Amino acid sequence: MICSSKCIKKCICLGYATVKGDSHKRMNMPNQDAVLGGQNKFGVVLAIADGVGSHKFSQYGSKAAVR
């Protein structure tokens, strides 16, 4: 499970959780989801990416996509 929360300002908190699927558990594969949140001068940003097709290195692609 990937889980996090981040308070940006007093009134803005971002939180998320992802869960490794049953097939990933059986095959001992990593969670391939990636989430990144933050704030810039335009407002709050939340980026979410899912590993594509459970391919071998999908977790790296989803992390690169949110960055």
Side-chain angles (χ1 to χ4, degrees):
M1 175 185 281
I2 299 172
C3 187
S4 181
S5 64
K6 178 180 179 182
C7 291
I8 297 169
K9 287 186 174 180
K10 255 184 171 177
C11 61
I12 300 173
C13 289
L14 303 174
Y16 65 86
T18 66
V19 179
K20 190 189 306 191
D22 290 337
S23 64
H24 284 114
K25 288 177 187 175
R26 283 193 303 274
M27 297 173 69
N28 198 26
M29 296 174 68
N31 186 331
Q32 297 171 329
D33 301 336
V35 180
L36 183 63
Q39 183 179 21
N40 62 26
K41 65 182 180 179
F42 301 108
V44 176
V45 177
L46 181 62
I48 304 167
D50 183 44
V52 179
S54 298
H55 291 286
K56 188 174 182 178
F57 297 110
S58 292
Q59 70 270 20
Y60 301 114
S62 61
K63 286 178 185 175
V66 299
R67 279 191 216 126

